[in-house]
Amino acid sequence: MSDPQDIAAALQRGKWIIVPWERLGPDNDLPHWQAALQELCVDSDIDPLFIDIRRRSLTVVVNAALPVPETEQIHTSIAAVEHSRFVGHSTR
């Protein structure tokens, strides 16, 4: 999932998302993608928190108004994304 509208909806439902940068769209423009998501979230009264993991080319997005996932949950999800990259399949 990398579509800003889908992510804003997920954040509104209390979900958090890990987005591989290669799924940011045709230009893989992280600042543009984050700005688009930020704008959608403002319209929905969501305060997104972006955690960029540059060594892994990933961004974790959480709703800052809600509790942040446990560190182990984040590490497990990152491992799943890395595995899907290795085997060439999407995690969703």
Side-chain angles (χ1 to χ4, degrees), residues 74-92:
I74 294 172
H75 284 287
T76 299
S77 294
I78 289 170
V81 169
E82 290 289 296
H83 178 74
S84 73
R85 282 176 167 165
F86 178 73
V87 297
H89 299 291
S90 174
T91 55
R92 297 220 176 221

Side-chain angles (χ1 to χ4, degrees), residues 1-8 17-26 28 33-34 36-37 40 61 92:
M1 172 186 310
S2 65
D3 180 67
Q5 290 180 329
D6 293 341
I7 293 174
I17 309 293
I18 295 181
V19 181
W21 292 354
E22 64 269 16
R23 295 189 193 156
L24 295 179
N28 290 334
W33 176 83
Q34 287 181 344
L37 180 56
L40 285 170
V61 187
R92 297 220 176 221

Side-chain angles (χ1 to χ4, degrees), residues 6-66:
D6 293 341
I7 293 174
L11 293 173
Q12 200 167 33
R13 292 189 312 271
K15 305 282 186 184
W16 57 278
I17 309 293
I18 295 181
V19 181
W21 292 354
E22 64 269 16
R23 295 189 193 156
L24 295 179
D27 57 359
N28 290 334
D29 185 349
L30 181 62
H32 179 265
W33 176 83
Q34 287 181 344
L37 180 56
Q38 178 76 40
E39 184 176 321
L40 285 170
C41 287
V42 166
D43 293 342
S44 302
D45 200 28
I46 299 168
D47 186 15
L49 173 64
F50 299 99
I51 305 166
D52 295 331
I53 305 171
R54 296 196 179 281
R55 285 185 32 208
R56 303 268 189 213
S57 299
L58 300 168
T59 295
V60 179
V61 187
V62 300
N63 184 339
L66 300 174

